[in-house]
Amino acid sequence: MRTTFICLANSRKHGERCIAGVEIQPNPKTQQYQLVKNGSRLHWIRPVSNANYGQVPTQWVERIHLLDVVNLENRGAVPRDCHQENILFEPNSIVIQTSLAPTFENLETLTTGAPMMLFGNRGNAIHTEQIADLDYSLLFVKIQEPNFYSLRLGQQLRVKFLYNFNHYDLPITDIQFCNQFYDNPKVLADAQNIYFTLSLSELHNQWHSKLVAAVFKL
């Protein structure tokens, strides 16, 4: 089965990549694409491999960029814990059809169904005892007051930010943005609207950490 999605994450995962996005389907009346929904939320997919953690070899997806409209052969769902969005796919089936314009209207539409709190709490992680209450692990949200930092040179870039009056402090796995930030720490100085793709990590020491998988600016 062929599946089409807007790429909203192509980030680092166990030395390889994690890609994800929201599914779209053609509207038979208008011949244009429309977003697929699960109730009030958008329907996300995370194409994965058969590796231990589902990470995708970089060479399979390195030509995919954020906001690309990607079509691939979907071999079926392979949910794992809260990662209900996981699907297996054929690596050689990837077709990049076009790209979504990074306009205010388009990015605002992608926040459809965003919750009041990130993954149900105000913390930076979800304990394994609470993870059963979640049936999703991906979000697209608009944030405020970002403050990017790393504790020491060479350590992972992090960001403190405000979302719906709650403060968060999360690591960033967006490879392209991290490179841009290290080249120019003022890369977002002129941004009036900033959006994040957020993901939950694999289980580690009884916790699923919240991650910033992609950064978008207008």
Side-chain angles (χ1 to χ4, degrees):
M1 178 180 70
R2 302 295 298 190
T3 296
T4 305
F5 66 98
I6 302 168
C7 179
L8 297 180
N10 189 343
S11 60
R12 184 183 296 108
K13 182 175 183 179
H14 293 281
E16 298 289 354
R17 296 294 181 89
C18 175
I19 60 172
V22 292
E23 187 179 1
I24 55 176
Q25 290 180 342
N27 185 322
K29 294 182 179 179
T30 65
Q31 299 304 310
Q32 295 180 333
Y33 283 106
Q34 62 186 19
L35 293 163
V36 178
K37 294 184 179 181
N38 281 340
S40 62
R41 293 201 310 266
L42 301 183
H43 182 251
W44 285 79
I45 63 170
R46 181 190 288 110
V48 300
S49 72
N50 283 316
N52 288 342
Y53 299 101
Q55 65 269 30
V56 175
T58 299
Q59 64 268 27
W60 291 4
V61 296
E62 60 185 348
R63 63 191 180 94
I64 299 176
H65 298 96
L66 297 179
L67 298 180
D68 279 351
V69 175
V70 181
N71 181 271
L72 49 71
E73 185 66 25
N74 181 347
R75 293 171 53 193
V78 285
R80 175 173 173 169
D81 295 327
C82 64
H83 292 187
Q84 298 295 306
E85 305 92 346
N86 291 6
I87 64 164
L88 284 175
F89 72 105
E90 291 290 343
N92 296 326
S93 70
I94 295 175
V95 176
I96 300 173
Q97 296 181 328
T98 184
S99 293
L100 184 72
T103 65
F104 177 78
E105 180 181 9
N106 284 342
L107 295 185
E108 284 291 307
T109 299
L110 292 172
T111 67
T112 298
M116 292 298 295
M117 292 185 293
L118 302 182
F119 302 109
N121 72 19
R122 295 179 174 87
N124 297 326
I126 309 293
H127 194 269
T128 184
E129 292 180 354
Q130 281 77 51
I131 205 68
D133 297 331
L134 284 179
D135 61 355
Y136 65 97
S137 63
L138 291 159
L139 289 171
F140 188 83
V141 297
K142 186 176 183 178
I143 63 94
Q144 295 177 313
E145 301 179 13
N147 177 26
F148 298 91
Y149 73 99
S150 58
L151 295 177
R152 287 191 295 273
L153 186 66
Q155 283 198 338
Q156 187 169 40
L157 187 65
R158 299 183 65 92
V159 59
K160 297 179 180 179
F161 63 95
L162 186 67
Y163 176 72
N164 279 344
F165 306 104
N166 296 312
H167 292 273
Y168 297 90
D169 181 350
L170 306 181
I172 302 172
T173 58
D174 181 335
I175 300 171
Q176 183 176 3
F177 176 78
C178 288
N179 291 336
Q180 291 175 345
F181 181 85
Y182 288 132
D183 287 341
N184 176 21
K186 296 183 179 180
V187 64
L188 294 181
D190 61 341
Q192 297 184 6
N193 299 279
I194 299 174
Y195 303 81
F196 287 168
T197 297
L198 300 171
S199 177
L200 289 178
S201 72
E202 299 285 341
L203 185 65
H204 179 69
N205 291 336
Q206 303 302 306
W207 293 90
H208 292 270
S209 297
K210 300 174 186 179
L211 309 171
V212 178
V215 178
F216 300 81
K217 72 167 185 172
L218 286 175

